[in-house]
Amino acid sequence: MTDTNELPHVVSAEREIAADADRIFELIADPAQQPRWDGNDNLNEAAAGQRVRGTGDVFVMALTNGAVRHNRVVEFEEGRRIAWLPSEPDQEPPGHLWRWELEPVGDGVTRVTHTYDWSRLTDPKRLVRAKATTAEKLLASIENLAALAEGAEDSR
């Protein structure tokens, strides 16, 4: 339960993207693509060949600060939903979750919702960063993703 004086522990943003859900999902489910659209300025690189295929998969991401995260996929529906819990290598996840949901809403148009849920975060060292993850930062990732999926990345 969240104290009403605190920031919300679940933050999300959404927008429609003029691209098919499958095209957008490919950019999310392939960790090597994620640094291209990251609006949090947090992701540096991921090795190719880690395309997520289901719950239980773990992909490895290097962060811009030099740290490495193992991301355990806890929700997965091909082309529609993916969520993961990041953790330090070989450690239990501290309880924050990243989720992407895609909903086709018309011919070649997809509603994309990006959520950051830190309601179960147990590591106090991560609280400052968690509190700084705003809906605007999530929307920045969606905007970057839209530019890639719509094929307009060179025009921005």
Side-chain angles (χ1 to χ4, degrees), residues 15-19 23-24 27 36-38 100 112 139-156:
R15 90 156 251 212
E16 291 182 2
I17 296 177
R23 178 172 168 83
I24 299 165
L27 291 165
R36 296 176 67 199
W37 50 254
D38 173 38
W100 289 89
V112 177
L139 186 58
S141 290
I142 297 173
E143 295 291 339
N144 294 342
L145 188 62
L148 290 168
E150 293 171 350
E153 73 238 10
D154 296 329
S155 66
R156 290 194 175 197

Side-chain angles (χ1 to χ4, degrees), residues 63-112:
L63 305 182
T64 54
N65 67 6
V68 173
R69 293 291 177 264
H70 287 186
N71 298 281
R72 298 173 189 176
V73 178
V74 294
E75 298 175 18
F76 187 86
E77 182 183 347
E78 181 67 40
R80 297 293 181 265
R81 185 179 71 250
I82 185 171
W84 58 84
L85 296 167
S87 69
E88 292 180 12
D90 304 316
Q91 300 295 313
E92 284 301 310
H96 54 146
L97 177 130
W98 297 92
R99 177 183 294 119
W100 289 89
E101 297 169 286
L102 285 65
E103 178 188 352
V105 293
D107 190 26
V109 178
T110 305
R111 179 177 301 114
V112 177

